[in-house]
Amino acid sequence: MSAPRKRSEAFLRASQHWANSKKLRPNPEQTEKASIKENEPDVEILSSDEENAPIKESEGKIRRCSPIRLLHNPSYEDEEEQKVNRDTIMLSNLIGTKDLHETFQFNFSVDLPMFLNYFHPEFSRQKKKITFITGSTLLDPQLPETELIKKNFNISELTADIPKRFGTHHTKMMVNFFDDDTLEIVIMTFNLRKIDFVGLTQALWRSGRLPRQKPDSKKMVMGARFKRDLKNYIKKYNKQALIDLAERIELFDFSSVKVELMASAPGKYDLSNLDDETEIYGYGKLYQILKRNNSLVDNSKAEKLYNFLAQVTSISYPIKVEKYNTASIFTHLLAPLVFCPNKDEFKILSPGSTSTKKHQQDNYYFPQLVYPTVKEVAGSNVGFGAGQAVHLKYASTIAHKNQYKQNIEPYLRKWNSSKEPLETGRESVVPHCKYFACDNGDNWSTIKWILMGSHNLSKQAWGAPAPKDLSSSVYEVSSYELGVVVIPEKGLRMVPSYGTDFIEEENTLPIRLPFKLPSSKYSEGDRPWSSWMSYGDLEDRFGETYNLGNE
C-alpha cells in the first residue's frame, strides 16, 4: 500500500463535510447545501487591465487570451495547485477589490455568510449596496445570522417570479459598478456556495471594466447587440429596481464585448417571422444567434464529419414520449437546430432513434455528451460528495430507461479524456460548468462556436413546444438561464486550449477548456453518475461508499 497523500487544507475541509453522504439521499441542485466552515479567504487582487486584456503584444508577437476563463480551484495538493490554476480567476478578483462600489448578484443558491466574507472590509464599512436576485428568500428572519448580516451589510433582495412548477432561477451573473465609474459584467456557472468553489469545476466570462459611453464613440455591432439583449433580459424580470439597472447599463460602452448573450426567461415565444431584432429566449435565441452569424451548418453534401458537443451536469425528462419512443432536447431539438440545411426553419425530430440516426446520416455529424462516470465522481478530489451537482435519472421509469438507451447512452463521453495527468487541470474535479460547441468538421482541431453558461439539457431551460405538436413554432420556457456564445471574428481560427488562457499563434483565438477534446468513449463497464442510484461496495478516494436508504 502506498503512503497516504498529503492533502491541502481546502481538500480536507471539503471532504470532511461529505464523509457521511452515503447515509443520505442527495438533493438535486435546487437544495444544494455546503456548510463547510469558512476561513478568511486568501485575497489575491489583480488589476482589471492585467486580468482582462484580450490581446497583448509580447516581443512583437500577438498574445490572445481566452474569453472563457476557469475559476480557481483549491482542491488539489499544494504542489499541484500552481499548475492547475494557471491563469484562473479567484472570487476575490471579482468582488474583493476596494473600489467595488455596488453589485447586483443574480444566482440560484447563495450561502450568505460564506460569500460576504470575500468582500473588501471597506465594502461593509461604507455600507455599499448589494442586491441579490434569486428564486427564493435569502434573508430569512428565522435564521440567527440574519440580523447580524443586515447590521453589517447594506443588502437588498429581489425574488424572481417563476410561473411554472419546475422552473428555476438558474442564472448566475454579477453586475459590478466601480468607483472609477466603470462597469463589469460577469456571467458564470457557479452558485455562491463553498462546494462550488472547492469541489467543482467552474467557468466564467467577464467583460472587463467598461467605461462610460462617449457621444462620438464607435459602436461595435456585436457589443451593441449584447447590451441590447442584456437590457431586455434584465427587464424581463419586471422589477422596478432591475428596470432601473437596465437604464444604468445603457450609459456604458460595450464596444469591446465580442460575444453574444444567450438567455432564457419564462414565457411563450414564436419562431415565425424571427429576425435579428426579435426579442426571443430559449432555443429560439440560439437559433437567432447562429443564423445571424452565419454559423448554422449545412452539411447535406456530407463533405466532412462534424461534431456537436454538450457538456452538462443535468439531463432531464424527455420533451415527448410516444409509446416506447422518446424525444430529447439534445438529439431531437438542438442538433437539428444546429445542422439546418434550410436556414429559414428547422424542425424538431419525431420521437425515437430512427429519426435522429437519419438526421445524423443526412447531415453527416455526430453528437457527443460529456458527462462524468461513476468512477470519475468516486475518484474526484472530494469523492462522492461532488456527485450532488450532477443529475441524471435513467432507471426510474420506462420513459427514463428508453430515453437513456435511445438518446443518451450512444453519445456518452468521459469527463477525463486527458492522456497525461493535469493536462487540463480539472481531470479530478467534477464539473458544474456547462458547454455546448460545434467543430469545423476537423475532429475538434478548431471550434466553430461555443456556448458557456448555466443551461442544462431540460425543456425548462431551453423551452419546448407542447408535446402534442412538436412542429409548432410556439414554445414555452420555464427557467431563467444565462450564457455567452463565442464565435470567432473573421480571419481568426478558434482552438481548444488546456492549462493556459493564452496563445501566441498568429490569427488564433484560444478557448480554455477543462475537459480534453476529442473526448473519449465510455469504457466497458462505465456508467454515468446518478445520485438516485446505489453503488454497493465501490469506495471513493476516502474509503466511503454511496448507497441510498438506511445501512
Side-chain angles (χ1 to χ4, degrees):
M1 180 181 294
S2 60
R5 298 175 61 187
K6 177 177 178 284
R7 299 184 177 95
S8 69
E9 182 181 358
F11 183 102
L12 292 172
R13 288 203 308 268
S15 61
Q16 182 180 5
H17 175 72
W18 299 111
N20 297 319
S21 63
K22 62 176 181 176
K23 300 178 182 179
L24 303 174
R25 181 186 176 110
N27 295 321
E29 187 178 20
Q30 282 82 348
T31 55
E32 285 183 0
K33 304 279 184 185
S35 56
I36 303 168
K37 183 178 179 181
E38 171 66 15
N39 294 328
E40 287 289 328
D42 295 325
V43 179
E44 177 188 330
I45 307 299
L46 300 180
S47 72
S48 179
D49 290 341
E50 177 70 19
E51 274 297 292
N52 293 293
I55 302 175
K56 293 182 180 181
E57 287 193 15
S58 175
E59 298 179 356
K61 296 181 180 180
I62 297 296
R63 188 169 181 252
R64 287 187 170 86
C65 179
S66 171
I68 296 176
R69 317 291 296 273
L70 294 186
L71 188 71
H72 181 278
N73 185 277
S75 67
Y76 278 90
E77 293 184 353
D78 292 339
E79 57 268 27
E80 295 173 339
E81 276 196 35
Q82 185 174 1
K83 179 176 181 179
V84 302
N85 285 312
R86 183 182 178 189
D87 302 330
T88 59
I89 306 297
M90 300 179 75
L91 181 58
S92 52
N93 301 143
L94 304 175
I95 60 167
T97 58
K98 185 177 181 180
D99 65 340
L100 180 64
H101 178 74
E102 182 179 1
T103 181
F104 290 78
Q105 295 287 331
F106 295 72
N107 217 287
F108 173 78
S109 182
V110 182
D111 179 344
L112 267 178
M114 182 282 296
F115 181 64
L116 295 174
N117 198 39
Y118 281 84
F119 286 94
H120 193 279
E122 285 299 311
F123 196 89
S124 170
R125 190 174 295 120
Q126 297 182 26
K127 293 294 188 291
K128 296 180 179 182
K129 190 173 181 181
I130 312 171
T131 302
F132 287 97
I133 304 92
T134 63
S136 59
T137 301
L138 287 180
L139 294 171
D140 186 344
Q142 303 300 319
L143 296 177
E145 65 265 25
T146 295
E147 283 304 313
L148 181 61
I149 288 173
K150 291 172 71 173
K151 179 181 178 181
N152 291 329
F153 287 89
N154 180 11
I155 294 179
S156 298
E157 61 175 321
L158 298 171
T159 303
D161 298 323
I162 310 292
K164 291 292 182 177
R165 177 184 174 191
F166 295 108
T168 61
H169 183 264
H170 204 237
T171 288
K172 298 158 179 66
M173 173 173 67
M174 301 181 183
V175 180
N176 295 331
F177 294 92
F178 296 89
D179 289 339
D180 62 354
D181 207 15
T182 59
L183 162 72
E184 181 170 58
I185 308 296
V186 182
I187 296 173
M188 65 268 191
T189 65
F190 47 90
N191 297 303
L192 305 178
R193 288 191 170 274
K194 184 63 179 179
I195 188 64
D196 282 66
F197 301 125
V198 173
L200 304 172
T201 292
Q202 307 285 4
L204 68 144
W205 170 86
R206 60 193 302 198
S207 66
R209 295 198 183 184
L210 307 175
R212 286 270 183 162
Q213 183 83 48
K214 295 180 180 179
D216 58 346
S217 64
K218 296 180 180 179
K219 292 184 178 180
M220 182 179 176
V221 174
M222 189 171 286
R225 284 173 175 165
F226 184 97
K227 185 202 291 194
R228 180 195 65 194
D229 288 348
L230 179 61
K231 288 177 55 186
N232 286 342
Y233 170 78
I234 290 173
K235 289 179 178 179
K236 281 288 289 183
Y237 286 83
N238 198 27
K239 308 285 184 183
Q240 187 58 52
L242 298 184
I243 294 172
D244 294 342
L245 173 62
E247 295 309 311
R248 290 174 67 183
I249 287 172
E250 173 61 31
L251 303 175
F252 290 85
D253 183 356
F254 280 69
S255 60
S256 61
V257 172
K258 298 179 182 180
V259 298
E260 293 263 14
L261 188 74
M262 174 60 221
S264 291
K268 288 187 177 181
Y269 308 100
D270 193 343
L271 275 172
S272 61
N273 301 315
L274 177 68
D275 60 32
D276 282 358
E277 303 303 316
T278 304
E279 183 181 355
I280 197 165
Y281 298 92
Y283 69 82
K285 185 63 182 178
L286 180 61
Y287 183 66
Q288 181 189 57
I289 290 170
L290 297 181
K291 185 177 180 180
R292 72 188 180 195
N293 286 280
N294 296 315
S295 294
L296 296 172
V297 180
D298 179 0
N299 197 34
S300 54
K301 294 181 180 179
E303 295 177 348
K304 51 187 177 181
L305 177 67
Y306 279 78
N307 291 289
F308 175 46
L309 174 142
Q311 179 273 303
V312 295
T313 59
S314 180
I315 303 174
S316 191
Y317 196 77
I319 57 176
K320 185 173 183 178
V321 177
E322 193 175 80
K323 293 184 178 179
Y324 296 107
N325 291 321
T326 63
S328 302
I329 287 288
F330 183 54
T331 49
H332 291 72
L333 193 158
L334 294 179
L337 182 157
V338 172
F339 294 90
C340 183
N342 182 353
K343 290 183 171 53
D344 292 325
E345 64 175 331
F346 73 93
K347 295 181 179 179
I348 298 175
L349 304 180
S350 58
S353 57
T354 301
S355 63
T356 55
K357 289 178 180 177
K358 185 178 187 308
H359 194 269
Q360 292 163 26
Q361 291 170 357
D362 291 346
N363 296 279
Y364 204 37
Y365 70 94
F366 192 76
Q368 295 151 43
L369 272 172
V370 176
Y371 187 91
T373 68
V374 174
K375 291 180 180 178
E376 286 177 325
V377 173
S380 71
N381 284 1
V382 296
F384 282 131
Q388 66 159 325
V390 187
H391 313 292
L392 169 61
K393 286 185 178 181
Y394 61 93
S396 303
T397 67
I398 293 297
H400 284 110
K401 292 177 181 178
N402 288 338
Q403 174 177 237
Y404 178 70
K405 287 295 182 182
Q406 296 165 8
N407 310 325
I408 298 174
E409 187 179 37
Y411 311 112
L412 284 172
R413 295 292 185 272
K414 293 183 179 181
W415 168 250
N416 179 7
S417 298
S418 299
K419 295 182 179 179
E420 59 184 70
L422 307 182
E423 187 174 3
T424 71
R426 295 296 180 268
E427 286 85 356
S428 298
V429 185
V430 170
H432 190 261
C433 50
K434 291 93 176 166
Y435 292 84
F436 294 81
C438 181
D439 72 358
N440 285 294
D442 52 12
N443 200 27
W444 297 112
S445 293
T446 62
I447 300 172
K448 188 177 187 67
W449 60 265
I450 189 166
L451 161 63
M452 179 282 302
S454 65
H455 290 76
N456 276 306
L457 288 174
S458 74
K459 64 182 180 181
Q460 288 79 19
W462 286 100
K468 292 183 180 180
D469 186 12
L470 291 185
S471 64
S472 174
S473 64
V474 178
Y475 64 98
E476 187 170 16
V477 178
S478 301
S479 295
Y480 289 93
E481 307 277 358
L482 207 58
V484 296
V485 179
V486 184
I487 301 171
E489 295 179 81
K490 187 176 181 179
L492 287 182
R493 57 195 293 269
M494 193 157 67
V495 303
S497 179
Y498 311 105
T500 179
D501 286 350
F502 294 94
I503 196 166
E504 291 185 354
E505 293 181 26
E506 189 175 356
N507 301 324
T508 302
L509 177 68
I511 293 293
R512 177 78 175 266
L513 292 175
F515 55 92
K516 191 72 166 60
L517 291 176
S519 53
S520 302
K521 294 181 180 180
Y522 273 33
S523 302
E524 186 177 354
D526 278 337
R527 291 179 290 169
W529 168 264
S530 174
S531 56
W532 284 274
M533 299 182 72
S534 296
Y535 297 107
D537 295 332
L538 177 67
E539 295 182 351
D540 68 10
R541 60 169 34 180
F542 304 108
E544 300 293 336
T545 58
Y546 187 97
N547 292 291
L548 303 180
N550 296 325
E551 293 182 297

